[in-house]
Amino acid sequence: MARSPEISQARVSMWQRVANAMALPVLSLLSALVLSAVFILGSDLKVLTAFSQFFSDPARALLTAGKALADAYGALFIGVFGDPAKIFKEVGEFFATGDTQGLAIAFYPFSENFVTATPYIFAGLAVAFGFRCGLFNIGAEGQIYVGAAAAAFVGYSVEGLPWIIHAPLTFLAGALAGAFWAGIAGFLKATRGAHEVINTMMLNYVAFNLIHYLLNGPMKRGGAAGTIPISRNIVESAYLPTFFPEPIRFHAGFIVALLVAVLVWWLLFKTTLGFEIRTVGANLHAARCAGINISRNFILAMAISGALAAMAGAGEVMGVNHNLAEGFSPGYGFDSIALAMLGGGHPLGVVLAALLFGTLRNGATKMQSLAAIPIDLVSIVQAFVIMFVAAPIIIRRLYRLKTEVGGQMILMRGWGG
Amino acid sequence: MYLTTATRWIQKIQEEKKCDISAQYGLQVDPDAYIKDLSVGAQQRVEILKILYRRADMLILDEPTAVLTPQEVEELFKVIRSLVARGVSIIFISHKLKEVMAIADRITVLRDGRVVGTTRPAETSPAALARMMVGREVILTVDKQPARPGEVVLDVNDLHVLDDRQQTRVSGISFQVRAGEILGIAGVQGNGQTELVEALTGLRPIARGRVTILGNDTTRATPRHVLQSGVAHIPEDRQRDGLVLTFPVADNLVLNTYYLPPFARGIRIDERTVFASATQRVQQFDIRTPSIHTLASSLSGGNQQKVIVAREFTRPIRLLIASQPTRGLDVGSIEYIHQRIVEMRDQGCAVLLVSPELDEILSLADRMAVMYHGKIMDILPASQATPEKLGLLMAGVREG
Amino acid sequence: MAARTQVERSRLLAQRWRGLFYLLVGLAILVFFTSETRPDQIATLGLNTTRSVQWVRLPDLVVPVVPAVWVLAAIVLALGMRDLVRPFRRGGWLLGIASFCFLAAFLVWAARGTSFSLIGILSASLQLATPILLGALAAILCERSAVINIAVEGMMLSAAFTSVLVANLTGNIMLGFVAAMATGALLAAWHAVLSIQFKVNQIISGTVINIFAIGMTNFLNQRLMQEYTDLNNEVTFPYLSQMFPDLGKIPIVGPLLFDQSPIVWLALILLIVIQVALFHTRWGLRTRAVGEHPRAADTLGIDVFRTRYINVILGGVVAGIAGAYFTLGSVGRFDKLMTSGRGFIAMAAMIFGNWTPIGALASSLIFGFADALQVKLQILIGQVNIPYEFLLMLPYIVTMIALAGVVGRVQMPAADGQPYEKQ
């Protein structure tokens, strides 16, 4: 049985597999967007009143609906790509006068996609890593805040270190804090069998209150006399560098996120630790029978998952805000659940899904300001995305697909673990 | 297992009908007993009564003798014959060729979802049936040399094991297995064999007693430690405990060796070695699979078991614990597995074979123990063991 | 008895540690709760409510702090000592007594030199326990037929929203209540279809509902209620004591049981109904059969799928009532994310209560008390040197501890979480 024909056969089916793997997420996202259009229309009173007179004036009803959708998706487009007219103008200016400022302003919306995608990559990797071990980490949001707090603290309290030491140290501090935070839930699961869904959720609330306390107390800028719950700014040696002129916020965190994604891929698929974690997630009983230490892997997987989520928080502190403030995360942790599922629990899929989600959320911000569509639409889209990915048969029926779309990913776990 | 109160309700109905069904069909059941307290054979009778109560004209029995002692099988056959005499039609599905020959009027053989042929017991034989089932000649008896037992490999002393509800499932078992011999543990399933195997492989804590493997105390060993002591385990439930169905064959072949050289160096897994070893073993054990990257779920039951065998037998093992190694397999695979086990024995491995299939024990084991209610009733050498003797022991009847 | 088994030996060892633990608890009570206390200080525990007039005004309970703490500590110390020397058979009630003494000592100490309303905190406990109890009942209905339901949070949130919306749209509070139940039922139906029909992992399908609920309520809240604020006017059911003033005047029982929204009573009635139905009717038997051993139930002729659908939707109705409590039974208006994790705590209450309604009552009262405690403690903030954010964490930490202590000793329905495949 020679190896080369086998590998080339494996390669051919790999492209096929990639195409197959992409079919479900793409179609799920499309369908979810279509479904959420219903919400956009259904909550617009102009559209509702127009439709109530549908039979007397169908044209007007459809026009109103069309306009509402065009407004919404137009705003989305501008949020994602920027104003095309403006971009053309500024590019022309740049070639004429070398003015980078205008160029930066024009490309700002597009760059924001990557800025928003950065924490999504980390958080998505976190949840996906948990999924690989059969663990449902819905505590990513709290872990993000804990990581941000730790990073901010190390960021502003240590001075005089060169950037090459201070920045990685700050980042690491955030990651360790997250590892500890999620590790609590992992420990409880490993030793007491307590389900991580409840514990990570509870830890979320504990984290939120903890941050509230820190920002109104020990970490408040200006001490007790400070007026707003925000921390001191971190020292410049803890910044993640940016590359483009203001107002573009694109920072090195995106590169770090991509590197971390590669690291996670290597860890999961090329190391003994990753093999153990994946086996525990795929079949707990067989793993046990094969001698794998289940408790150790639960704790490790949760800790790594928490560290990854916390990196999202650390990245935001070091690259974007340069301090810790309440509410800096518009739900990165919760969104990443849908993200991880869309990405099929694979680091590459997570990166792609994160880019998508970053783009979506970035565009939705513009939808909120231009078309008055609340940004929570993103959550509605996500819910549908998860549903379609989790029940591939719905997409199959809807689009009359013959091939097998999607695959199994996460296993059943009852409350006893 | 069954909700006791639910079936109590059914019992009440029968009571109202004055149990005449029970007497009518010669199925004796105590209507006041809780289902969970009845013997499996009696439970089966309740099932049959339930169906007859609804005036069934046809009875479909799917592997009905799987959990019966030989004596209970005889009882069942008597019931079947009396039902047939009353005009009830019966479809008796079984993989046990001898039983089918004993009870059936006509025999139909299925293979791969198709009917291969229909015949009568008078016109056929177990060997002919086996050939129809598999498509080639099948050796039904195992050809083996007499055993040459060497040193004691497994020493079990006064073992007590509890189940998840803290009930005693193994109470005071002691036995030894020597290198180069096969000790078979017979018994109806549910008499503590599962818990015994789990305790020996480190998957279940031992409440009292000692287990020694090659002189090392493994009473409190972890599963990994047990495996590293030179133990191979073919688990009872191959799909749940033996394989990860969503993993490729190559990964399943290193499920318990992935961390050892040459498959891994430190934390890194050497994929090339894993794949090369997988390819070689697939060939050596004749595992029918499109490639080593095929998911284990795509393999047939027999080939899945071969993957487990390939994995375990290529490790440096001194003790093989095989629990129902041929459950649900076709006759061809059964033949293959049995030959490999005897091969292991002849190479000096100690083999502990746990199986509720009496024929398997009788054909493979050099010594036979019978488990009943968590105790070993007796250990007989192969020369003294007969199905009748073993059957009595399996039902809890001690001689003398 | 002959040589002990290894399992028995380790159990005895654990019990020795337990005795030591309670000794330490007793000491802790003594040390912490007599600190910063002058020997003559007293704590006044109010037994009357300030809200209404009662027939009889009970005298306040005046407790001298230091002696009280000594007595409570002594009880725990004695029990710990006894446990160390001759371990008790079952440690359950030991934990209960020790917890009670600890809490009592803590309260007395926190109220030293001042007063707080004991009736108030007990009444608040019942109030805060109600949504948790209703959530737990909803979850029990689902889980008893082996469908995991973590969407209780989402169902509660959505029901809270629609109850206010519809009540204000139609001007009829009962319609709002019905809308809440319908919302719960609809979301439950969605969960049921996903997990029963499409066999989606039940935790995932529950998460879908939760995420959708947060998104939908925030979205519609912003779109509709912030523009048309009339849609978010306060609408509440009158308290029982307002409908029947005489009931409210009974001392102790009055403020405790009748100075409450009628939904509280509805919850208690539902509790009894579900307890009886689940364990003493045929429907309950069928439900439990489906939850423990669906295959056997199927062979007995029980329609597994239909039973599960009905149970999940009924659970959704109860979750809807829980959601209505947040608004119609309490503040009257909808605020974003107002359920703040109560749905998850309700699930923990279900587990803690061993999947029975009575157990759920006990655990939701405990969690409700923890919740009420942190509210009251914020009033006593000067006496208790804990920042109020940590007090807010209390219910969540209590949940985690309860869950950790209890898993392994409770028995979930055997088929919980596994979709049923007809073969």
Side-chain angles (χ1 to χ4, degrees):
Chain A
M1 236 181 276
R3 239 200 301 149
S4 8
E6 208 172 60
I7 286 195
S8 52
Q9 191 172 44
R11 278 222 189 100
V12 162
S13 48
M14 191 181 86
W15 286 119
Q16 225 176 10
R17 258 192 292 152
V18 169
N20 254 356
M22 303 232 358
L24 179 65
V26 168
L27 288 173
S28 303
L29 190 61
L30 275 170
S31 319
L33 283 171
V34 167
L35 262 178
S36 46
V38 171
F39 275 85
I40 298 180
L41 293 176
S43 59
D44 187 333
L45 264 123
K46 282 202 282 274
V47 172
L48 283 174
T49 44
F51 265 88
S52 64
Q53 298 156 351
F54 182 74
F55 291 106
S56 53
D57 194 351
R60 181 161 156 265
L62 289 173
L63 268 174
T64 325
K67 179 156 185 308
L69 284 179
D71 280 344
Y73 291 124
L76 183 67
F77 185 86
I78 294 186
V80 169
F81 293 107
D83 192 339
K86 209 164 169 216
I87 292 181
F88 273 123
K89 173 164 160 280
E90 293 300 336
V91 169
E93 283 270 333
F94 173 68
F95 279 119
T97 60
D99 169 30
T100 52
Q101 189 60 33
L103 205 61
I105 297 178
F107 275 106
Y108 170 74
F110 186 67
S111 68
E112 277 296 293
N113 291 333
F114 298 96
V115 174
T116 321
T118 306
Y120 274 132
I121 295 179
F122 286 120
L125 286 172
V127 178
F129 201 85
F131 279 160
R132 283 286 174 176
C133 198
L135 296 169
F136 211 70
N137 180 8
I138 55 175
E141 192 74 13
Q143 288 144 28
I144 290 178
Y145 273 100
V146 166
F153 181 70
V154 174
Y156 70 62
S157 42
V158 180
E159 306 199 21
L161 280 181
W163 173 84
I164 197 87
I165 297 187
H166 195 192
L169 190 67
T170 312
F171 198 70
L172 198 64
L176 284 174
F180 168 73
W181 202 248
I184 298 176
F187 177 77
L188 286 173
K189 170 123 191 164
T191 52
R192 307 292 309 172
H195 205 282
E196 71 278 7
V197 165
I198 298 186
N199 279 325
T200 48
M201 198 56 173
M202 294 294 108
L203 283 170
N204 272 342
Y205 289 107
V206 175
F208 299 151
N209 283 305
L210 184 65
I211 301 300
H212 189 75
Y213 161 71
L214 288 173
L215 283 179
N216 284 290
M219 279 176 83
K220 183 153 71 168
R221 179 185 303 181
T227 43
I228 43 174
I230 191 171
S231 78
R232 287 156 47 194
N233 280 345
I234 60 174
V235 181
E236 278 210 25
S237 57
Y239 278 30
L240 278 170
T242 59
F243 305 101
F244 302 102
E246 298 258 308
I248 293 189
R249 303 195 294 173
F250 179 79
H251 59 92
F254 185 74
I255 317 283
V256 175
L258 291 179
L259 289 172
V260 168
V262 173
L263 184 68
V264 168
W265 172 83
W266 177 81
L267 193 68
L268 269 180
F269 295 105
K270 302 286 180 189
T271 64
T272 53
L273 176 63
F275 187 83
E276 283 184 14
I277 288 180
R278 283 186 298 122
T279 309
V280 169
N283 187 343
L284 188 70
H285 306 281
R288 234 183 120 227
C289 227
I292 295 178
N293 185 335
I294 308 289
S295 302
R296 193 179 81 116
N297 280 294
F298 274 164
I299 298 179
L300 264 174
M302 281 305 289
I304 295 179
S305 178
L308 288 166
M311 287 185 200
E316 288 298 284
V317 165
M318 292 167 67
V320 178
N321 301 312
H322 305 306
N323 59 38
L324 177 70
E326 282 202 279
F328 78 86
S329 164
Y332 291 127
F334 290 119
D335 292 353
S336 54
I337 299 172
L339 208 168
M341 290 199 63
L342 198 62
H346 190 282
L348 178 62
V350 166
V351 170
L352 291 174
L355 284 167
L356 205 61
F357 266 62
T359 309
L360 195 66
R361 182 163 276 282
N362 183 29
T365 318
K366 250 320 190 249
M367 272 172 96
Q368 173 149 295
S369 53
L370 284 185
I373 309 265
I375 200 159
D376 301 282
L377 185 74
V378 175
S379 298
I380 298 181
V381 170
Q382 275 169 32
F384 288 125
V385 162
I386 301 182
M387 175 179 83
F388 287 130
V389 171
I393 195 166
I394 303 180
I395 292 276
R396 244 205 285 175
R397 288 224 191 117
L398 265 181
Y399 296 99
R400 317 273 160 97
L401 294 176
K402 296 272 172 59
T403 52
E404 193 62 40
V405 278
Q408 303 164 301
M409 203 181 38
I410 307 115
L411 296 179
M412 305 299 154
R413 286 277 166 80
W415 291 114
Chain B
M1 233 201 338
Y2 300 95
L3 263 198
T4 55
T5 35
T7 40
R8 193 93 170 78
W9 168 65
I10 294 171
Q11 305 284 40
K12 279 206 189 125
I13 302 255
Q14 283 178 197
E15 237 175 24
E16 284 167 28
K17 296 273 171 179
K18 305 256 194 302
C19 294
D20 49 30
I21 292 186
S22 187
Q24 198 178 355
Y25 290 97
L27 295 160
Q28 291 305 324
V29 168
D30 174 10
D32 287 324
Y34 277 116
I35 293 290
K36 67 177 175 160
D37 296 330
L38 295 175
S39 75
V40 177
Q43 283 180 356
Q44 200 179 53
R45 287 200 282 280
V46 172
E47 282 296 309
I48 298 178
L49 269 177
K50 238 171 31 183
I51 297 175
L52 292 175
Y53 172 65
R54 296 178 198 188
R55 301 249 176 278
D57 291 323
M58 180 159 85
L59 207 55
I60 303 178
L61 298 167
D62 192 353
E63 302 286 357
T65 60
V67 290
L68 300 180
T69 66
Q71 286 80 1
E72 284 176 324
V73 171
E74 275 310 311
E75 291 292 321
L76 177 65
F77 281 9
K78 274 197 211 132
V79 169
I80 290 178
R81 290 190 188 104
S82 82
L83 288 176
V84 167
R86 268 166 228 289
V88 178
S89 306
I90 298 193
I91 298 181
F92 186 92
I93 305 172
S94 173
H95 66 279
K96 302 190 182 181
L97 303 177
K98 289 196 197 138
E99 287 179 3
V100 167
M101 294 282 296
I103 193 66
D105 297 321
R106 280 185 309 134
I107 305 173
T108 299
V109 177
L110 291 177
R111 189 174 80 212
D112 287 340
R114 286 203 174 83
V115 172
V116 176
T118 305
T119 176
R120 292 176 193 283
E123 296 161 12
T124 187
S125 69
L129 286 175
R131 194 173 45 234
M132 285 167 90
M133 285 162 75
V134 178
R136 56 174 173 85
E137 286 297 332
V138 179
I139 306 167
L140 286 176
T141 53
V142 181
D143 204 9
K144 62 178 185 132
Q145 310 282 352
R148 281 174 302 164
E151 55 172 340
V152 172
V153 172
L154 174 66
D155 190 349
V156 176
N157 196 341
D158 190 35
L159 197 64
H160 292 251
V161 182
L162 306 174
D163 70 7
D164 294 331
R165 297 186 192 213
Q166 307 301 318
Q167 312 277 11
T168 305
R169 304 293 286 174
V170 176
S171 50
I173 282 193
S174 303
F175 63 87
Q176 294 177 335
V177 187
R178 293 170 178 276
E181 77 164 346
I182 299 178
L183 174 66
I185 299 200
V188 173
Q189 191 164 355
N191 278 292
Q193 299 95 317
T194 309
E195 287 79 9
L196 171 66
V197 169
E198 284 174 350
L200 293 177
T201 51
L203 294 169
R204 185 172 285 279
I206 293 175
R208 186 150 45 136
R210 237 164 70 99
V211 175
T212 315
I213 297 178
L214 288 171
N216 296 323
D217 188 343
T218 55
T219 314
R220 263 187 284 249
T222 61
R224 175 151 293 185
H225 192 175
V226 171
L227 289 170
Q228 281 172 335
S229 308
V231 177
H233 178 204
I234 298 182
E236 190 176 299
D237 188 340
R238 64 177 158 270
Q239 295 197 340
R240 194 186 73 140
D241 298 328
L243 297 168
V244 179
L245 291 176
T246 51
F247 276 11
V249 169
D251 284 2
N252 275 295
L253 282 170
V254 293
L255 206 62
N256 48 18
T257 51
Y258 62 90
Y259 62 98
L260 298 167
F263 300 123
R265 247 171 304 159
I267 197 176
R268 246 193 34 155
I269 292 185
D270 185 352
E271 276 194 332
R272 221 176 290 188
T273 316
V274 170
F275 292 160
S277 164
T279 311
Q280 186 260 325
R281 280 185 281 178
V282 161
Q283 196 168 38
Q284 183 187 346
F285 287 85
D286 191 29
I287 303 175
R288 305 291 167 86
T289 173
S291 101
I292 57 170
H293 300 288
T294 315
L295 300 187
S297 53
S298 310
L299 267 51
S300 71
N303 282 305
Q304 284 177 351
Q305 195 74 319
K306 279 191 191 171
V307 169
I308 299 178
V309 164
R311 177 179 75 215
E312 299 300 311
F313 286 16
T314 50
R315 286 168 51 226
I317 55 171
R318 303 295 308 274
L319 170 67
L320 165 65
I321 300 179
S323 191
Q324 301 189 41
T326 58
R327 189 184 72 154
L329 297 188
D330 61 282
V331 175
S333 300
I334 295 179
E335 173 199 33
Y336 181 86
I337 303 277
H338 282 180
Q339 281 173 357
R340 292 274 88 73
I341 293 180
V342 173
E343 227 174 64
M344 268 292 139
R345 176 199 82 161
D346 291 335
Q347 285 173 14
C349 193
V351 178
L352 180 67
L353 174 68
V354 178
S355 176
E357 298 269 0
L358 209 45
D359 290 329
E360 187 166 45
I361 302 277
L362 285 168
S363 66
L364 284 181
D366 304 310
R367 285 189 303 137
M368 295 161 212
V370 176
M371 264 188 90
Y372 178 76
H373 280 190
K375 290 186 164 54
I376 289 193
M377 300 302 289
D378 202 358
I379 304 185
L380 304 170
S383 50
Q384 290 174 19
T386 65
E388 292 72 33
K389 264 199 213 165
L390 292 177
L392 283 173
L393 291 170
M394 282 160 76
V397 179
R398 265 215 178 81
E399 289 195 5
Chain C
M1 195 174 124
R4 294 238 164 81
T5 68
Q6 287 153 352
V7 165
E8 286 171 14
R9 253 186 272 136
S10 55
R11 210 178 287 167
L12 279 179
L13 193 65
Q15 279 171 339
R16 289 287 147 91
W17 281 107
R18 187 179 70 189
L20 199 62
F21 170 74
Y22 284 118
L23 264 181
L24 284 172
V25 168
L27 272 170
I29 294 179
L30 202 53
V31 166
F32 287 132
F33 300 141
T34 52
S35 68
E36 298 179 23
T37 316
R38 294 196 310 274
D40 58 319
Q41 267 186 316
I42 54 170
T44 316
L45 305 175
L47 292 178
N48 303 300
T49 178
T50 49
R51 284 163 55 93
S52 55
V53 183
Q54 290 166 204
W55 282 328
V56 182
R57 249 202 109 67
L58 292 172
D60 289 338
L61 207 60
V62 174
V63 179
V65 176
V66 174
V69 172
W70 268 95
V71 167
L72 292 166
I75 295 177
V76 179
L77 281 169
L79 286 173
M81 195 75 72
R82 165 96 203 296
D83 199 41
L84 196 63
V85 167
R86 198 149 54 101
F88 289 105
R89 279 276 117 180
R90 303 163 130 259
W93 60 271
L94 184 58
L95 179 65
I97 294 190
S99 310
F100 176 78
C101 290
F102 187 89
L103 276 172
F106 174 67
L107 280 175
V108 166
W109 172 76
R112 65 189 183 283
T114 170
S115 73
F116 84 96
S117 172
L118 185 62
I119 285 291
I121 199 173
L122 290 177
S123 169
S125 300
L126 185 56
Q127 277 180 347
L128 291 165
T130 299
I132 300 180
L133 173 63
L134 284 167
L137 287 173
I140 287 176
L141 279 171
C142 296
E143 298 236 352
R144 274 290 177 174
S145 64
V147 177
I148 297 184
N149 182 1
I150 62 165
V152 176
E153 176 85 9
M155 291 179 200
M156 282 167 39
L157 188 61
S158 314
F161 177 78
T162 52
S163 64
V164 172
L165 183 68
V166 171
N168 278 315
L169 262 179
T170 60
N172 185 336
I173 191 175
M174 277 313 291
L175 279 182
F177 189 71
V178 168
M181 294 198 289
T183 311
L186 272 171
L187 286 175
W190 189 7
H191 177 53
V193 167
L194 281 181
S195 52
I196 301 176
Q197 179 74 23
F198 293 113
K199 305 203 178 18
V200 175
N201 179 320
Q202 291 162 9
I203 296 191
I204 293 180
S205 79
T207 303
V208 167
I209 311 274
N210 281 338
I211 295 183
F212 174 78
I214 294 177
M216 181 195 84
T217 52
N218 284 350
F219 181 84
L220 290 177
N221 179 26
Q222 205 167 314
R223 279 279 253 192
L224 299 176
M225 285 182 174
Q226 286 189 3
E227 276 200 46
Y228 310 97
T229 51
D230 277 343
L231 288 176
N232 205 5
N233 281 342
E234 280 192 27
V235 188
T236 55
F237 285 111
Y239 278 19
L240 282 173
S241 54
Q242 289 168 326
M243 294 196 284
F244 312 105
D246 287 341
L247 284 179
K249 293 196 186 138
I250 310 174
I252 297 195
V253 174
L256 199 58
L257 288 181
F258 296 116
D259 206 13
Q260 307 279 17
S261 172
I263 301 187
V264 174
W265 275 85
L266 182 59
L268 293 172
I269 294 174
L270 270 175
L271 163 77
I272 299 178
V273 165
I274 295 180
Q275 174 81 20
V276 167
L278 207 51
F279 293 106
H280 295 102
T281 68
R282 247 204 232 159
W283 168 86
L285 187 58
R286 264 186 251 138
T287 300
R288 284 183 297 128
V290 164
E292 299 286 342
H293 206 299
R295 174 109 335 118
D298 198 6
T299 59
L300 281 171
I302 300 174
D303 188 341
V304 173
F305 296 122
R306 201 173 81 118
T307 310
R308 286 184 176 174
Y309 270 107
I310 293 180
N311 274 324
V312 173
I313 294 179
L314 276 178
V317 170
V318 175
I321 298 178
Y325 179 78
F326 280 98
T327 49
L328 304 179
S330 172
V331 292
R333 43 171 287 122
F334 178 80
D335 292 316
K336 277 195 191 180
L337 300 173
M338 65 187 308
T339 48
S340 46
R342 294 295 180 288
F344 288 99
I345 298 185
M347 286 187 305
M350 168 191 76
I351 298 175
F352 200 48
N354 207 5
W355 282 268
T356 64
I358 298 283
L361 176 67
S363 24
S364 41
L365 283 174
I366 294 176
F367 291 132
F369 182 74
D371 221 349
L373 190 63
Q374 59 97 343
V375 170
K376 291 295 177 193
L377 282 180
Q378 295 186 29
I379 302 175
L380 296 170
I381 194 74
Q383 316 262 84
V384 180
N385 283 324
I386 308 177
Y388 83 96
E389 290 95 348
F390 286 95
L391 296 176
L392 282 171
M393 291 181 203
L394 196 60
Y396 306 111
I397 298 185
V398 165
T399 304
M400 287 177 68
I401 296 178
L403 203 60
V406 121
V407 177
R409 260 171 263 167
V410 291
Q411 195 72 27
M412 66 180 189
D416 209 4
Q418 296 158 26
Y420 183 58
E421 307 264 358
K422 260 214 184 284
Q423 275 184 358

